[in-house]
Coordinates of all heavy atoms in Angstrom, one line a residue:
M587 N 16.0 -18.1 -16.4 CA 14.6 -17.6 -16.4 C 14.7 -16.2 -17.1 O 15.6 -15.4 -16.7 CB 14.1 -17.4 -15.0 CG 12.6 -17.2 -14.9 SD 11.9 -17.6 -13.3 CE 12.5 -16.2 -12.4
E588 N 13.8 -15.9 -18.0 CA 13.8 -14.6 -18.6 C 13.2 -13.6 -17.7 O 12.5 -13.9 -16.8 CB 13.0 -14.6 -19.9 CG 13.2 -15.8 -20.8 CD 11.9 -16.7 -20.8 OE1 10.8 -16.1 -21.0 OE2 12.1 -17.9 -20.7
N589 N 13.5 -12.4 -18.0 CA 13.0 -11.2 -17.3 C 13.3 -11.2 -15.8 O 12.6 -10.7 -15.0 CB 11.4 -11.2 -17.4 CG 11.0 -11.2 -18.8 OD1 11.6 -10.6 -19.7 ND2 9.9 -11.9 -19.1
M590 N 14.5 -11.8 -15.5 CA 14.9 -11.7 -14.1 C 15.5 -10.4 -13.8 O 16.4 -9.9 -14.6 CB 15.9 -12.8 -13.8 CG 15.3 -14.2 -13.5 SD 16.4 -15.5 -13.2 CE 17.0 -15.0 -11.5
K591 N 15.0 -9.7 -12.8 CA 15.5 -8.4 -12.5 C 15.9 -8.4 -11.0 O 15.1 -8.7 -10.2 CB 14.4 -7.4 -12.8 CG 14.9 -5.9 -12.7 CD 13.8 -5.0 -13.2 CE 14.1 -3.6 -13.0 NZ 14.1 -3.2 -11.5
K592 N 17.1 -8.0 -10.8 CA 17.7 -8.0 -9.4 C 16.9 -7.1 -8.6 O 16.6 -5.9 -8.9 CB 19.1 -7.6 -9.5 CG 19.8 -7.2 -8.2 CD 21.2 -6.9 -8.5 CE 21.7 -5.8 -7.5 NZ 23.1 -5.4 -7.8
N593 N 16.5 -7.6 -7.4 CA 15.9 -6.7 -6.4 C 17.0 -6.3 -5.4 O 17.4 -7.2 -4.6 CB 14.7 -7.4 -5.7 CG 14.0 -6.5 -4.7 OD1 14.6 -5.5 -4.3 ND2 12.8 -6.8 -4.4
S594 N 17.5 -5.1 -5.5 CA 18.6 -4.7 -4.6 C 18.2 -4.7 -3.1 O 19.1 -4.6 -2.3 CB 19.0 -3.3 -4.9 OG 19.0 -3.1 -6.3
N595 N 16.9 -4.8 -2.8 CA 16.5 -4.8 -1.4 C 16.5 -6.2 -0.8 O 16.3 -6.4 0.4 CB 15.1 -4.2 -1.3 CG 15.0 -2.8 -1.7 OD1 15.9 -2.0 -1.3 ND2 14.1 -2.5 -2.6
I596 N 16.7 -7.2 -1.7 CA 16.6 -8.6 -1.1 C 17.9 -9.3 -1.5 O 18.1 -9.8 -2.6 CB 15.4 -9.4 -1.6 CG1 14.1 -8.6 -1.4 CG2 15.4 -10.8 -1.0 CD1 12.9 -9.3 -1.9
K597 N 18.9 -9.4 -0.6 CA 20.1 -10.1 -0.8 C 19.8 -11.6 -0.4 O 19.1 -11.9 0.5 CB 21.2 -9.6 0.2 CG 21.8 -8.3 -0.3 CD 22.9 -7.9 0.6 CE 24.1 -8.8 0.4 NZ 25.1 -8.3 -0.5
C598 N 20.4 -12.5 -1.3 CA 20.2 -13.9 -1.0 C 21.3 -14.7 -1.7 O 21.6 -14.4 -2.9 CB 18.8 -14.4 -1.5 SG 18.5 -16.1 -1.3
S599 N 21.8 -15.7 -1.1 CA 22.9 -16.5 -1.7 C 22.5 -17.9 -2.0 O 23.3 -18.8 -2.2 CB 24.1 -16.5 -0.7 OG 23.7 -17.0 0.5
V600 N 21.2 -18.2 -2.0 CA 20.7 -19.5 -2.2 C 20.6 -19.8 -3.7 O 19.6 -19.6 -4.4 CB 19.3 -19.7 -1.5 CG1 18.9 -21.2 -1.7 CG2 19.4 -19.4 -0.1
A601 N 21.7 -20.2 -4.3 CA 21.8 -20.4 -5.7 C 20.9 -21.5 -6.2 O 20.6 -21.6 -7.4 CB 23.2 -20.7 -6.1
Q602 N 20.5 -22.4 -5.3 CA 19.6 -23.5 -5.7 C 18.1 -23.1 -6.0 O 17.3 -23.8 -6.5 CB 19.6 -24.6 -4.7 CG 20.9 -25.3 -4.5 CD 21.9 -24.6 -3.7 OE1 21.6 -23.5 -3.1 NE2 23.1 -25.1 -3.6
C603 N 17.9 -21.8 -5.6 CA 16.5 -21.3 -5.8 C 16.4 -20.7 -7.2 O 17.3 -20.0 -7.7 CB 16.2 -20.2 -4.8 SG 14.6 -19.5 -5.0
K604 N 15.3 -20.9 -7.9 CA 15.2 -20.4 -9.2 C 15.0 -18.9 -9.3 O 15.1 -18.3 -10.3 CB 14.0 -21.1 -10.0 CG 12.6 -20.7 -9.6 CD 11.6 -21.3 -10.6 CE 10.3 -20.7 -10.4 NZ 9.3 -21.4 -11.4
Y605 N 14.7 -18.3 -8.2 CA 14.6 -16.8 -8.1 C 15.9 -16.1 -7.8 O 15.9 -14.9 -7.7 CB 13.5 -16.4 -7.1 CG 12.2 -16.9 -7.5 CD1 11.4 -17.8 -6.6 CD2 11.6 -16.6 -8.7 CE1 10.2 -18.3 -7.0 CE2 10.3 -17.1 -9.1 CZ 9.7 -17.9 -8.2 OH 8.4 -18.4 -8.6
N606 N 17.0 -16.9 -7.6 CA 18.3 -16.3 -7.2 C 19.0 -15.8 -8.5 O 19.0 -16.5 -9.5 CB 19.1 -17.3 -6.5 CG 20.3 -16.7 -5.8 OD1 21.4 -16.6 -6.4 ND2 20.1 -16.2 -4.6
M607 N 19.7 -14.7 -8.4 CA 20.4 -14.2 -9.6 C 21.6 -14.9 -9.9 O 22.2 -14.8 -11.0 CB 20.7 -12.7 -9.3 CG 19.5 -11.8 -9.2 SD 18.5 -11.7 -10.6 CE 19.5 -11.0 -11.8
V608 N 22.1 -15.7 -8.9 CA 23.3 -16.5 -9.0 C 24.6 -15.7 -9.3 O 25.5 -15.7 -8.5 CB 23.2 -17.6 -10.1 CG1 24.4 -18.5 -10.1 CG2 22.0 -18.5 -9.7
S609 N 24.6 -15.0 -10.4 CA 25.8 -14.2 -10.7 C 26.0 -13.1 -9.6 O 27.1 -12.6 -9.4 CB 25.7 -13.5 -12.1 OG 24.5 -12.8 -12.1
E610 N 24.9 -12.7 -9.0 CA 25.0 -11.8 -7.9 C 24.1 -12.4 -6.8 O 23.2 -13.0 -7.1 CB 24.4 -10.4 -8.3 CG 25.2 -9.7 -9.4 CD 24.5 -8.4 -9.8 OE1 24.7 -7.5 -9.0 OE2 23.9 -8.3 -10.8
D611 N 24.5 -12.1 -5.6 CA 23.7 -12.7 -4.5 C 22.5 -11.9 -4.1 O 22.4 -11.3 -3.1 CB 24.6 -12.8 -3.2 CG 25.6 -13.9 -3.3 OD1 25.5 -14.8 -4.3 OD2 26.5 -14.0 -2.5
Y612 N 21.6 -11.9 -5.1 CA 20.3 -11.2 -4.9 C 19.1 -12.0 -5.4 O 19.3 -12.9 -6.3 CB 20.3 -9.9 -5.7 CG 21.1 -8.8 -5.0 CD1 22.5 -8.6 -5.4 CD2 20.6 -8.0 -4.0 CE1 23.2 -7.7 -4.7 CE2 21.4 -7.0 -3.4 CZ 22.7 -6.9 -3.7 OH 23.4 -5.9 -3.1
C613 N 18.0 -11.7 -4.9 CA 16.7 -12.3 -5.3 C 16.1 -11.5 -6.4 O 16.4 -10.3 -6.5 CB 15.8 -12.4 -4.1 SG 14.2 -13.1 -4.5
C614 N 15.3 -12.1 -7.3 CA 14.7 -11.3 -8.4 C 13.2 -11.0 -8.1 O 12.6 -10.4 -8.9 CB 14.9 -11.9 -9.7 SG 14.0 -13.5 -9.9
L615 N 12.7 -11.5 -7.0 CA 11.3 -11.3 -6.8 C 11.1 -9.9 -6.2 O 12.0 -9.3 -5.6 CB 10.8 -12.3 -5.8 CG 10.7 -13.8 -6.2 CD1 10.2 -14.7 -5.1 CD2 9.8 -13.9 -7.4
D616 N 9.9 -9.4 -6.4 CA 9.5 -8.0 -5.9 C 9.4 -8.1 -4.4 O 9.6 -7.2 -3.6 CB 8.2 -7.5 -6.5 CG 8.4 -7.2 -7.9 OD1 9.6 -6.9 -8.3 OD2 7.4 -7.1 -8.6
C617 N 8.9 -9.3 -3.9 CA 8.5 -9.5 -2.5 C 8.7 -11.0 -2.2 O 8.4 -11.8 -3.0 CB 7.1 -9.1 -2.4 SG 6.3 -9.4 -0.8
I618 N 9.2 -11.3 -1.0 CA 9.3 -12.7 -0.6 C 8.5 -12.9 0.7 O 8.2 -11.9 1.4 CB 10.8 -13.1 -0.4 CG1 11.5 -12.3 0.7 CG2 11.5 -13.1 -1.7 CD1 12.8 -12.9 1.2
S619 N 8.3 -14.1 1.0 CA 7.6 -14.5 2.2 C 8.6 -15.3 3.1 O 9.1 -16.3 2.7 CB 6.4 -15.3 1.9 OG 5.8 -15.8 3.1
V620 N 8.8 -14.8 4.3 CA 9.7 -15.4 5.3 C 8.9 -16.0 6.4 O 8.0 -15.3 6.9 CB 10.8 -14.5 5.8 CG1 11.6 -15.1 6.8 CG2 11.6 -13.9 4.6
G621 N 9.2 -17.2 6.8 CA 8.5 -17.8 7.9 C 9.5 -18.6 8.8 O 10.7 -18.5 8.7
T622 N 8.9 -19.4 9.6 CA 9.8 -20.3 10.5 C 9.2 -21.7 10.6 O 8.0 -21.9 10.4 CB 9.9 -19.6 11.9 OG1 10.8 -20.5 12.7 CG2 8.6 -19.6 12.6
H623 N 10.1 -22.6 10.9 CA 9.7 -24.0 11.1 C 9.8 -24.4 12.6 O 9.7 -25.5 12.9 CB 10.5 -24.9 10.2 CG 12.0 -24.7 10.4 ND1 12.7 -23.8 9.7 CD2 12.8 -25.3 11.3 CE1 14.0 -23.8 10.1 NE2 14.1 -24.7 11.1
E624 N 10.0 -23.4 13.4 CA 10.2 -23.6 14.8 C 9.1 -23.0 15.6 O 8.4 -22.1 15.2 CB 11.5 -22.9 15.3 CG 12.8 -23.3 14.6 CD 13.3 -24.6 15.1 OE1 12.8 -25.1 16.1 OE2 14.2 -25.2 14.4
Q625 N 8.9 -23.6 16.8 CA 7.8 -23.1 17.7 C 8.3 -21.7 18.3 O 7.5 -20.8 18.5 CB 7.6 -24.0 18.9 CG 7.0 -25.4 18.5 CD 5.5 -25.3 18.5 OE1 4.9 -24.3 18.8 NE2 4.9 -26.4 18.1
N626 N 9.6 -21.7 18.6 CA 10.1 -20.5 19.2 C 11.5 -20.1 18.6 O 12.5 -20.4 19.1 CB 10.3 -20.8 20.7 CG 10.8 -19.6 21.5 OD1 10.6 -18.4 21.1 ND2 11.4 -19.8 22.6
P627 N 11.5 -19.5 17.4 CA 12.7 -19.2 16.7 C 13.7 -18.3 17.6 O 13.2 -17.3 18.2 CB 12.3 -18.5 15.5 CG 10.8 -18.1 15.7 CD 10.3 -19.0 16.7
T628 N 14.9 -18.7 17.6 CA 15.9 -17.9 18.4 C 17.1 -17.5 17.5 O 17.9 -16.6 18.0 CB 16.4 -18.8 19.5 OG1 16.9 -20.0 19.0 CG2 15.3 -19.0 20.6
V629 N 17.4 -18.2 16.4 CA 18.6 -17.8 15.6 C 18.2 -17.8 14.1 O 17.1 -18.3 13.8 CB 19.7 -18.8 15.8 CG1 20.3 -18.8 17.2 CG2 19.2 -20.3 15.5
P630 N 19.0 -17.1 13.3 CA 18.6 -17.0 11.9 C 18.3 -18.4 11.2 O 17.4 -18.4 10.3 CB 19.8 -16.4 11.2 CG 20.5 -15.6 12.3 CD 20.2 -16.4 13.6
E631 N 19.0 -19.4 11.7 CA 18.7 -20.7 11.1 C 17.3 -21.3 11.3 O 16.9 -22.2 10.7 CB 19.7 -21.8 11.6 CG 21.1 -21.6 11.2 CD 21.9 -20.4 11.9 OE1 21.3 -19.8 12.8 OE2 23.0 -20.1 11.4
C632 N 16.6 -20.6 12.2 CA 15.2 -21.1 12.5 C 14.2 -20.5 11.4 O 13.1 -20.9 11.4 CB 14.8 -20.6 13.9 SG 15.7 -21.3 15.2
T633 N 14.7 -19.6 10.6 CA 13.8 -19.0 9.7 C 14.0 -19.5 8.2 O 15.0 -20.0 7.9 CB 14.0 -17.4 9.6 OG1 15.3 -17.2 9.2 CG2 13.8 -16.9 11.0
D634 N 13.0 -19.4 7.5 CA 13.0 -19.9 6.1 C 12.4 -18.9 5.1 O 11.5 -18.2 5.5 CB 12.0 -21.2 6.0 CG 12.3 -22.2 7.1 OD1 13.4 -22.8 7.0 OD2 11.4 -22.4 7.9
C635 N 12.9 -19.0 3.9 CA 12.3 -18.3 2.8 C 11.2 -19.2 2.2 O 11.5 -20.2 1.6 CB 13.3 -17.9 1.7 SG 12.4 -17.0 0.4
N636 N 10.0 -18.8 2.4 CA 8.9 -19.6 1.9 C 8.6 -19.4 0.5 O 7.7 -20.0 -0.1 CB 7.6 -19.4 2.8 CG 7.8 -20.0 4.2 OD1 8.5 -20.9 4.4 ND2 7.1 -19.3 5.1
S637 N 9.3 -18.4 -0.1 CA 9.2 -18.2 -1.6 C 10.1 -19.0 -2.4 O 10.1 -19.0 -3.6 CB 9.4 -16.7 -1.9 OG 8.5 -15.9 -1.2
F638 N 11.0 -19.8 -1.7 CA 12.0 -20.7 -2.4 C 11.3 -21.7 -3.3 O 10.3 -22.3 -2.9 CB 12.8 -21.4 -1.3 CG 13.7 -22.5 -1.9 CD1 15.0 -22.2 -2.2 CD2 13.2 -23.8 -2.1 CE1 15.8 -23.2 -2.8 CE2 14.1 -24.8 -2.6 CZ 15.4 -24.4 -3.0
V639 N 11.8 -21.8 -4.5 CA 11.4 -22.8 -5.5 C 12.7 -23.4 -6.1 O 13.5 -22.7 -6.5 CB 10.5 -22.2 -6.6 CG1 10.2 -23.3 -7.6 CG2 9.2 -21.6 -6.0
K640 N 12.8 -24.7 -6.0 CA 14.0 -25.4 -6.5 C 14.2 -25.1 -7.9 O 13.3 -25.2 -8.8 CB 13.8 -26.9 -6.2 CG 15.1 -27.6 -6.5 CD 14.9 -29.1 -6.1 CE 16.2 -30.0 -6.4 NZ 17.1 -29.5 -7.3
R641 N 15.4 -24.8 -8.2 CA 15.8 -24.5 -9.6 C 15.8 -25.9 -10.4 O 16.3 -26.9 -9.9 CB 17.2 -23.9 -9.6 CG 17.8 -23.5 -11.0 CD 19.2 -23.0 -10.8 NE 19.2 -21.8 -10.1 CZ 19.0 -20.6 -10.6 NH1 18.7 -20.4 -11.9 NH2 19.1 -19.5 -9.8
T642 N 15.4 -25.9 -11.6 CA 15.4 -27.1 -12.4 C 16.2 -26.8 -13.7 O 16.4 -25.7 -14.0 CB 14.0 -27.6 -12.7 OG1 13.3 -26.5 -13.4 CG2 13.2 -28.0 -11.5
G643 N 16.5 -27.8 -14.4 CA 17.1 -27.7 -15.7 C 18.6 -28.0 -15.6 O 19.1 -28.2 -14.5
C644 N 19.3 -27.9 -16.7 CA 20.7 -28.4 -16.7 C 21.6 -27.3 -16.2 O 21.3 -26.1 -16.2 CB 21.1 -28.8 -18.1 SG 20.7 -27.5 -19.3
G645 N 22.8 -27.7 -15.8 CA 23.8 -26.8 -15.4 C 23.6 -26.2 -14.1 O 24.3 -25.2 -13.7
C646 N 22.7 -26.7 -13.3 CA 22.5 -26.0 -12.0 C 22.7 -27.0 -10.8 O 22.5 -28.2 -11.0 CB 21.1 -25.5 -11.9 SG 20.8 -24.4 -13.2
Ligands
LIG90 S1 12.9 -16.6 -3.2 FE1 13.9 -16.7 -1.2 S2 15.5 -18.3 -1.5 FE2 14.8 -17.7 -3.5 S3 16.3 -16.2 -4.2 FE3 14.5 -15.1 -3.3 S4 15.1 -14.8 -1.2 FE4 16.4 -16.4 -2.0

């Protein structure tokens, strides 16, 4: 993706997301939305990045 600019405030290692820098474990969005899929979240695994968009294209 062109114009990707690392946001030093958002660390992320989800390389399958098109907003991930991949070469560095950071997100390139200015702002992300985090939510949960649980009624009563208790651990980090209960939370989700709702800004995730699956990366498409070759080599990924
Ligand atoms: S949008 Fe969410 S999942 Fe995607 S790189 Fe940014 S923080 Fe990670």
Side-chain angles (χ1 to χ4, degrees):
M587 197 165 69
E588 315 113 46
N589 305 324
M590 278 180 75
K591 189 168 172 295
K592 166 179 150 184
N593 183 339
S594 317
N595 297 311
I596 307 178
K597 286 184 69 96
C598 178
S599 60
V600 185
Q602 293 80 4
C603 177
K604 76 173 191 177
Y605 298 121
N606 193 271
M607 298 299 294
V608 184
S609 54
E610 299 179 71
D611 285 349
Y612 284 94
C613 181
C614 70
L615 294 178
D616 291 338
C617 172
I618 62 166
S619 173
V620 176
T622 183
H623 51 272
E624 302 283 347
Q625 294 275 355
N626 182 26
T628 53
V629 291
E631 289 78 7
C632 297
T633 62
D634 308 295
C635 176
N636 288 331
S637 300
F638 173 91
V639 176
K640 187 175 180 340
R641 183 184 294 278
T642 56
C644 54
C646 304

